[in-house]
Amino acid sequence: MTKKEMIKVIQQKEAELFLQIKIDESLFGMNSTITIRSRSDWAKVNGLMEDLGIKPDNTLPENQKAIAFIVDKVKKEALN
C-alpha cells in the first residue's frame, strides 16, 4: 500500500466516524453515552490525522452527509 493509499483509507475512516457522530447526535442527543462513544472513536482517528498532518477530505460522501446533518441542525435551531 502506498502512502497516498494509506492517507485515503485514514480519511475515509475519519469521514465514516464523523458521520456516525452526527447520526448518533440526531437519534440519541448530544450527551448520550452512544454519542459520547462515537465522538471518542472519531477523536482518536482525528488526533492521529492531526499528528500526521493529514487533512479531512470534505468531498467524501460521508462528510457531505455529516455536513448536511450540521446544516439541518443549525436551521432548526435558528427557527426556535
Side-chain angles (χ1 to χ4, degrees):
M1 185 179 283
T2 67
K3 180 180 175 182
K4 188 174 182 177
E5 291 170 331
M6 284 187 244
I7 289 170
K8 291 218 174 278
V9 169
I10 294 168
Q11 288 172 319
Q12 180 64 43
K13 186 64 176 175
E14 185 272 341
E16 291 168 5
L17 291 169
F18 188 60
L19 175 57
Q20 190 61 54
I21 292 170
K22 298 306 164 190
I23 291 169
D24 291 347
E25 285 176 354
S26 176
L27 294 174
F28 307 111
M30 293 284 291
N31 297 317
S32 160
T33 56
I34 294 169
T35 304
I36 292 167
R37 189 176 318 121
S38 294
R39 193 173 296 114
S40 175
D41 292 344
W42 169 81
K44 292 171 191 171
V45 174
N46 185 259
L48 174 66
M49 288 176 66
E50 286 180 8
D51 291 346
L52 297 173
I54 300 171
K55 298 201 182 298
D57 182 351
N58 291 325
T59 65
L60 291 171
E62 293 82 1
N63 274 336
Q64 293 295 311
K65 290 176 187 172
I67 291 167
F69 270 99
I70 294 168
V71 169
D72 188 48
K73 181 180 176 186
V74 169
K75 285 180 181 179
K76 286 178 184 174
E77 289 174 355
L79 295 174
N80 290 333

